[in-house]
Amino acid sequence: MNLCELKPSPDEVLDWLRQGNRRFRNGRNQAPHCDLQRVELACGCDQAEHALATVLSCSDSRVPVEILFDTGIMDLFVVRVAGNSIGEAQAASLEYGLVHVATPLLVVLGHTHCGAVTSALRHEKGLMPDDPALRPLLNPLQPAVQRALANSPGAGEEEQIIRAVEENVWQALDDFLAWSPAAGRLVEKGQVKAVGAVYELESGRVRWLDQKEAGSQGDGASQTD
Ligand SMILES: [Zn+2]
């Protein structure tokens, strides 16, 4: 049997994450699937029978993905890298989450006050010395930063960073779908939904971005939650 047929629809998974984030930001976490029973279950089964969403997020310690969605063991297939950008390893991991772990939903999750995005922005503006060690992290962020700067002439740095974080969500999604035809086919068939979101450090809220922008560059619109 196709594992996707055993799982909730992409929209149902999205709603499950929305509800989990609502509990989190209201201080009502249920911490599901965090007990020894779940540990034993996870050891003895295939994660593909259970995990519901693949998430690309930043490594930032202030963005604990499972906690902010009030989920637990074997719920999320999470890929984390500073700046939530796409390199080969990240793309291959995301494809694994969609194709082999059969999660119906892909979330690219940026966050406010992202240090990697801020560094890329300052680097682009010539305010930061070049550090070869950081190039692999900052280079994938430059197209998003350049668009944010072009679209916000005269804006202060705080607004530029917010725009760059959103642009970077769409950049990562575009880069991933360009890398992975297999994921693109799943999205086209409707088996997988790909969405962008920004986690707000200020409130604990996950702000879902307008999905029409997937596959094209965003305009910063958001869905109300
Ligand atoms: Zn970050």
Side-chain angles (χ1 to χ4, degrees):
M1 167 155 321
N2 187 340
L3 277 171
C4 288
E5 295 170 12
L6 299 173
K7 296 191 174 182
S9 72
D11 283 329
E12 287 170 333
V13 175
L14 180 57
D15 192 50
W16 168 69
L17 291 182
R18 283 180 189 274
Q19 289 176 26
N21 179 248
R22 266 189 220 118
R23 290 195 299 275
F24 169 72
R25 69 177 191 260
N26 288 320
R28 299 200 318 270
N29 266 27
Q30 296 172 351
H33 299 159
C34 291
D35 54 12
L36 285 177
Q37 200 177 1
R38 188 70 168 180
V39 172
E40 288 172 13
L41 176 68
C43 181
C45 75
D46 181 350
Q47 65 170 324
E49 295 168 6
H50 295 272
L52 294 179
T54 292
V55 182
L56 172 66
S57 81
C58 184
S59 302
D60 195 308
S61 62
R62 300 169 294 179
V63 188
V65 178
E66 279 90 350
I67 295 172
L68 63 88
F69 284 122
D70 195 18
T71 56
I73 295 166
M74 213 164 43
D75 287 334
L76 304 178
F77 188 87
V78 182
V79 179
R80 296 182 71 167
V81 63
N84 46 271
S85 61
I86 295 293
E88 284 223 328
Q90 291 80 43
S93 298
L94 293 179
E95 181 176 291
Y96 190 88
L98 300 181
V99 174
H100 298 289
V101 186
T103 59
L105 187 72
L106 167 63
V107 181
V108 177
L109 183 66
H111 70 98
T112 57
H113 305 288
C114 181
V117 170
T118 301
S119 294
L121 186 88
R122 290 178 180 164
H123 186 264
E124 184 69 25
K125 291 158 77 174
L127 299 175
M128 221 179 85
D130 184 44
D131 181 347
L134 290 180
R135 278 182 206 153
L137 276 183
L138 300 187
N139 283 350
L141 307 181
Q142 296 310 138
V145 162
Q146 288 163 2
R147 281 198 304 279
L149 289 174
N151 293 336
S152 57
E157 185 177 80
E158 195 172 337
E159 186 184 338
Q160 290 171 340
I161 292 170
I162 290 170
R163 283 176 175 257
V165 163
E166 292 183 10
E167 289 285 354
N168 188 47
V169 165
W170 301 122
Q171 185 69 46
L173 196 49
D174 283 353
D175 288 347
F176 170 58
L177 292 175
W179 187 91
S180 174
R185 284 192 291 275
L186 290 173
V187 171
E188 276 174 26
K189 284 193 284 186
Q191 285 186 21
V192 167
K193 190 167 199 166
V195 299
V198 174
Y199 175 64
E200 298 178 340
L201 296 189
E202 297 86 344
S203 62
R205 179 174 77 127
V206 170
R207 181 165 54 88
W208 300 93
L209 302 180
D210 191 338
Q211 292 162 37
K212 72 179 173 49
E213 297 150 14
S216 63
Q217 305 310 338
D219 62 5
S222 302
Q223 295 183 336
T224 54
D225 183 25

